[in-house]
Amino acid sequence: MMFSNEQLQALIEGRIVGNKFPYDTNNEHEIEAHIRRLYYRINRIPNLVCEAEWNHFGSGYASFVEFFCYRKEDVTVIEEKYGLQEIKINGIIIDICRLAPVAIMGEDDRYKTIRIETNEVVGGGYGTILDGFNRLVIDEKFQIIEEQLEQSLKVFDYERLDAEKLNQSLPFQTKIPTIYRKPKQYLVMDAIFYWED
């Protein structure tokens, strides 16, 4: 599914585009429930942990829900001191669009600082797959997980978009409410996946 310029502009304006269920209902609650069912399906994949960001990163509006999926063996303890443990997690990000039945996948390293006594996360850092040209690439070591995630997307009728098309310049002038790129640098990806803080 590649979008027409009219559809891209509709997505930028926050309008739902798509003729597959539940996007054809134009009902945000129905779409959110569909994405949640996908999330529960992914969490049933053996040895995989999937964390989701449902709340627009705490502020503003995100046109997507972000999943971060990893195996327990991809968690590395970097340091332990003063009752705190710092860990690094290597995994896969999936961004599921709230406005069209499409998704993108890429790799990320995330960091968490955990209070050992209570297992409470007290700090952390993570990236996004939206801020660079080469972020939609996944290492061979994740091939099996990537295939399992791809299968889950297909079952729920999501198309995984191609990095080559997404990284093309947006073919028209517009204003996108995104923190990821400046107006003269917009890519097709920015019309579909954006976060307005």
Side-chain angles (χ1 to χ4, degrees), residues 10-62:
L11 292 168
I12 291 165
E13 292 165 10
R15 289 185 285 151
I16 297 167
V17 172
N19 52 11
K20 295 179 188 169
F21 179 82
Y23 292 83
D24 60 354
T25 67
N26 216 22
N27 182 323
E28 288 176 24
H29 298 294
E30 199 67 62
I31 293 166
E32 186 93 359
H34 190 67
I35 297 172
R36 282 188 190 276
R37 288 190 290 274
L38 170 62
Y39 168 74
Y40 294 126
R41 155 126 188 176
I42 290 172
N43 264 309
R44 287 198 301 272
I45 296 172
N47 305 319
L48 196 69
V49 176
C50 181
E51 300 168 353
E53 171 50 61
W54 300 104
N55 198 20
H56 304 274
F57 303 96
S59 66
Y61 171 79

Side-chain angles (χ1 to χ4, degrees), residues 66-82:
E66 186 164 280
F67 294 170
F68 182 60
C69 307
Y70 60 92
R71 301 168 299 193
K72 290 188 174 55
E73 69 250 36
D74 298 315
V75 177
T76 312
V77 175
I78 298 173
E79 181 175 63
E80 282 190 6
K81 65 180 183 188
Y82 311 122

Side-chain angles (χ1 to χ4, degrees), residues 90-93 105-109 129 135 137-139 142:
N90 188 226
I92 294 176
I93 291 178
M105 260 195 255
E107 216 177 298
D108 190 31
D109 290 327
I129 56 174
R135 305 281 284 184
V137 176
I138 297 176
D139 191 281
F142 287 124

